[in-house]
Amino acid sequence: MLAVTEHPYPMHRPHPGWAENDPADGLAAVEIALGALLGAAGAAGALGSEVGGLFIVGQRDRVFLLDDHHRALAPAIHWTDPRDPAGTEAVFRRVGRDRIIEVSVVPATPGLVLPNLDWTRRALPGARAVGTLTRAAARRLGLTTGVVEAAGGGGDQAATLDCGVTPPGELSLGTGSSPAWRAIVTGPRPDHTGRLCIARHVVSHTWIHEVVAVGIGTMLRWTRETFGADADDETRIAKAAAVPPRA
């Protein structure tokens, strides 16, 4: 491994309960992070022209809606955005809750792709999803057009793989925008209670059954920025540990 870097981008909340990302913010973050990585790789003697692949990981269920010229039509609705619970219930009634779970093994939870696309269809009827990596994008990222672009899994699947949790029966625990408990299984078992998130793993022939507590990562970021922006995580944790219980 030659280098590791990160660059944050903001969460926008134009209305109470809404959570959106501007695609331009995400692209700018990718450009900055890749620039830093290529710079570090160059210092280590590697060239950007030697990059053979770019692995794209998206955080859970999100889509970026583009026009025919690859321009963003609207912000990307974050999976923690429950803006339209009535619309989600309408999808349940129209299609049938059990039928949705039977076909997709995932309930139509507010914030996930199905209800978000249904909301977008009603609120932005001209929007549709298209897209490929363009030559212009390759130039902006400092890569060659021959780089293989691999659409990976969601952030949870990639994090589980990064932990080395791949065989069925193993369990991964982690925190991103929300803490998650992820169990690896050999096939999907629909949960008609709607409590489990179920998705394919990035490892062939395996699935992830997951339980999440929504919004914890966002709250941790808010706490950090509000009460400890001048300290690192270790310092903030040490200060919190020194506070007596129920103080």
Side-chain angles (χ1 to χ4, degrees), residues 106-188:
V106 178
T109 305
L112 300 188
V113 169
L114 178 58
N116 283 347
L117 289 179
D118 184 69
W119 179 89
T120 302
R121 177 183 59 82
R122 290 180 279 110
L124 302 170
R128 63 189 182 90
V130 298
T132 59
L133 181 65
T134 64
R135 288 187 175 86
R139 287 195 298 270
R140 291 179 64 177
L141 297 176
L143 302 173
T144 65
T145 56
V147 170
V148 176
E149 182 187 12
D156 288 325
Q157 290 94 326
T160 303
L161 177 66
D162 191 45
C163 292
V165 178
T166 57
E170 291 196 349
L171 183 69
S172 166
L173 286 79
T175 296
S177 57
S178 299
W181 293 261
R182 316 173 188 107
I184 310 303
V185 295
T186 55

Side-chain angles (χ1 to χ4, degrees), residues 12-231:
H12 301 286
R13 301 185 182 277
H15 303 285
W18 289 31
E20 300 178 339
N21 295 124
D22 186 336
D25 292 336
L27 179 57
V30 170
E31 292 176 353
I32 293 170
L34 271 178
L37 285 175
L38 292 175
L47 301 176
S49 59
E50 296 177 311
V51 175
L54 182 65
F55 185 62
I56 308 296
V57 174
Q59 188 189 54
R60 291 194 64 86
D61 310 64
R62 289 194 296 168
V63 293
F64 293 87
L65 301 173
L66 310 175
D67 64 14
D68 291 333
H69 302 287
H70 299 157
R71 295 174 299 204
L73 292 167
I77 302 173
H78 195 261
W79 71 274
T80 59
D81 182 322
R83 68 180 60 185
D84 191 27
T88 303
E89 288 300 322
V91 172
F92 274 140
R93 290 193 301 270
R94 187 167 67 248
V95 181
R97 190 175 188 277
D98 287 342
R99 178 59 178 165
I100 290 174
I101 294 175
E102 178 185 346
V103 172
S104 68
V105 301
V106 178
T109 305
L112 300 188
V113 169
L114 178 58
N116 283 347
L117 289 179
D118 184 69
W119 179 89
T120 302
R121 177 183 59 82
R122 290 180 279 110
L124 302 170
R128 63 189 182 90
V130 298
T132 59
L133 181 65
T134 64
R135 288 187 175 86
R139 287 195 298 270
R140 291 179 64 177
L141 297 176
L143 302 173
T144 65
T145 56
V147 170
V148 176
E149 182 187 12
D156 288 325
Q157 290 94 326
T160 303
L161 177 66
D162 191 45
C163 292
V165 178
T166 57
E170 291 196 349
L171 183 69
S172 166
L173 286 79
T175 296
S177 57
S178 299
W181 293 261
R182 316 173 188 107
I184 310 303
V185 295
T186 55
R189 294 191 292 271
D191 174 28
H192 291 276
T193 69
R195 293 188 179 93
L196 288 178
C197 295
I198 303 171
R200 286 189 180 275
H201 197 2
V202 290
V203 178
S204 297
H205 308 298
T206 58
W207 292 68
I208 290 178
H209 285 197
E210 177 183 49
V211 177
V212 300
V214 175
I216 298 299
T218 301
M219 287 188 282
L220 288 175
R221 174 178 286 184
W222 177 86
T223 302
R224 180 187 66 198
E225 294 174 349
T226 303
F227 299 105
D230 58 343

